[in-house]
Amino acid sequence: MNHYYSLLFGILFLVFSQAKCTGYLEVSFKSDFNLKSVLNVSSLNTNSSNSRLIPFLVSPNKTEKLAKIPIDFNETVIITVFVINQDRLDIDNATITSTFIPRRGLLSPLTVMYPFTGIKINIGCDTQYYGDQCNVFCCSETASRVGKECNSLGQLGCPVGKKGLDCKQSISKKWCKCKNKGSCISSFGKNLHERIQCSCLVGFTGIQCEKEVPSVEMMSVYGVDPKKFEIGTAKMLYESVVDNEMVEVTRPHSSHLLHNLKINDA
């Protein structure tokens, strides 16, 4: 038993190690049109040489996923989508921009605008990294040596619904009272003190998952040839606000703010 506790203390040291931020950005798109586009991922406080340009194609009613783009959690991230071609001759280009402070599980915008019908923005952690900024390291192989696992918080714990040093006791939901469909999980601190905590679904945070994580906003800018411009063009753009088909959390309908739409001369 003494050997067991010595091993457990050693594993706890590894589990609670802090590391540099290590995670990635994933962006997915849907549209009713064939689109040729470029995604630019950059940081607010760094020079343009660190930008990542990723060309991609979107086919009608199919999802195009740009996966595992490295990001720095210590920087404000800017994503810009340049749509090169349009099916409408009076619209020469479109630029969609969003600026946000990265955190794990970032929510997509509630609404999207022409030419997209869905945009999904997700931030994930690399394998064995956890936390809002993906800076908590937990080695699952090491934890399994004492019959434990790394929980969603990056701490040593039992499988979902179980507690105790032997992980054989059941957890009662009344012990943590998680809201918004959060799950009760077991976590062992550095002194082997066990706590029952809430593991939250995407879109919620807080001790009891009681806080709603706000979604991101996106600004839309369109290039229009003055010779081709018609009143119908502006009307079409302002009426092209649709609920995001790929939003992670259902919320009350909230229309796209008009100040997030601009029309420039091409």
Side-chain angles (χ1 to χ4, degrees):
M1 182 61 71
N2 288 337
H3 174 72
Y4 173 84
Y5 280 107
S6 297
L7 181 58
L8 187 55
F9 271 116
I11 290 176
L12 283 171
F13 176 78
L14 294 176
V15 167
F16 287 95
S17 297
Q18 296 292 313
K20 67 178 183 178
C21 306
T22 173
Y24 55 84
L25 172 71
E26 291 184 331
V27 189
S28 301
F29 300 93
K30 286 188 71 175
S31 176
D32 291 335
F33 310 103
N34 286 302
L35 300 176
K36 181 185 295 183
S37 307
V38 176
L39 174 68
N40 180 29
V41 180
S42 60
S43 298
L44 185 63
N45 301 320
T46 56
N47 58 52
S48 59
S49 63
N50 292 322
S51 298
R52 295 178 178 86
L53 292 174
I54 306 170
F56 65 98
L57 300 174
V58 179
S59 300
N61 303 313
K62 292 185 179 180
T63 299
E64 178 65 22
K65 182 178 181 180
L66 309 181
K68 295 196 172 182
I69 305 166
I71 57 171
D72 188 342
F73 284 81
N74 296 314
E75 298 280 356
T76 299
V77 172
I78 304 172
I79 61 172
T80 305
V81 184
F82 302 100
V83 182
I84 300 172
N85 70 309
Q86 298 281 0
D87 285 351
R88 287 182 59 101
L89 296 179
D90 50 351
I91 299 175
D92 293 328
N93 56 69
T95 303
I96 317 294
T97 305
S98 183
T99 302
F100 52 85
I101 298 174
R103 57 174 293 157
R104 186 184 184 194
L106 184 69
L107 292 181
S108 301
L110 297 180
T111 57
V112 294
M113 295 195 68
Y114 178 90
F116 294 103
T117 58
I119 297 178
K120 183 176 182 178
I121 301 173
N122 177 63
I123 292 179
C125 297
D126 291 326
T127 303
Q128 303 196 121
Y129 286 88
Y130 302 83
D132 283 347
Q133 292 188 310
C134 297
N135 62 340
V136 178
F137 175 77
C138 181
C139 179
S140 57
E141 293 181 2
T142 306
S144 66
R145 295 177 187 174
V146 289
K148 301 293 184 296
E149 61 182 41
C150 297
N151 62 29
S152 60
L153 302 177
Q155 299 177 350
L156 193 69
C158 296
V160 175
K162 297 296 183 179
K163 66 178 292 291
L165 285 176
D166 55 5
C167 293
K168 292 184 179 180
Q169 302 175 52
S170 296
I171 295 177
S172 172
K173 292 184 178 180
K174 66 181 180 181
W175 293 345
C176 60
K177 300 180 180 178
C178 302
K179 299 179 180 179
N180 297 307
K181 299 182 180 180
S183 302
C184 297
I185 59 173
S186 165
S187 292
F188 290 93
K190 294 181 180 180
N191 59 355
L192 294 184
H193 175 70
E194 185 178 25
R195 293 188 298 165
I196 305 301
Q197 297 176 281
C198 289
S199 175
C200 306
L201 295 179
V202 172
F204 300 97
T205 186
I207 296 176
Q208 294 181 325
C209 305
E210 74 281 4
K211 299 178 182 179
E212 193 174 271
V213 179
S215 62
V216 299
E217 283 193 12
M218 307 199 83
M219 176 175 287
S220 307
V221 181
Y222 298 89
V224 177
D225 186 339
K227 296 179 181 179
K228 302 175 183 177
F229 181 81
E230 299 176 355
I231 296 300
T233 302
K235 185 174 184 295
M236 181 276 296
L237 291 175
Y238 280 107
E239 291 179 350
S240 293
V241 181
V242 296
D243 289 331
N244 187 1
E245 292 183 8
M246 307 178 75
V247 71
E248 294 93 337
V249 177
T250 302
R251 306 171 190 256
H253 177 74
S254 176
S255 62
H256 192 98
L257 298 177
L258 292 184
H259 73 256
N260 280 356
L261 170 74
K262 294 183 179 180
I263 301 176
N264 292 340
D265 290 343

